[in-house]
Amino acid sequence: PSGFKLLSVKRGSLFEKLGLRRYDILKSINGQVLDIQSGMNTFSTLKNETDFSLELERGGQPKTFKYQVI
């Protein structure tokens, strides 16, 4: 299976500030599919990114979030 399911999103956390919710399934970041093998590597490549997008599934529907880090 691909993706990471968020089982909990803490109030005030970075995930909440990004608009993520409990039970969202993160599918890809910047077009890179998230799975158990590549997921952590993908997260580590974001350290120096200023623009990124998250594709996820929420309630069975696909959603895309775009961010700019300033």
Side-chain angles (χ1 to χ4, degrees):
S2 66
F4 288 98
K5 189 173 196 174
L6 300 177
L7 298 177
S8 177
V9 177
K10 212 175 200 183
R11 284 191 179 264
S13 70
L14 175 62
F15 291 117
E16 182 186 52
K17 291 175 183 177
L18 290 173
L20 302 177
R21 298 181 187 167
R22 185 177 185 192
Y23 301 128
D24 283 350
I25 301 171
L26 301 178
K27 294 289 197 173
S28 70
I29 299 175
N30 287 351
Q32 294 182 15
V33 175
L34 296 175
D35 61 27
I36 198 71
Q37 293 178 328
S38 65
M40 296 313 286
N41 290 335
T42 301
F43 284 114
S44 69
T45 65
L46 293 175
K47 286 189 254 183
N48 300 317
E49 293 291 328
T50 57
D51 295 300
F52 66 97
S53 64
L54 290 175
E55 293 182 24
L56 59 90
E57 184 179 307
R58 178 178 288 160
Q61 299 297 314
K63 289 194 165 284
T64 300
F65 290 86
K66 295 186 179 199
Y67 306 94
Q68 183 177 33
V69 180
I70 52 173

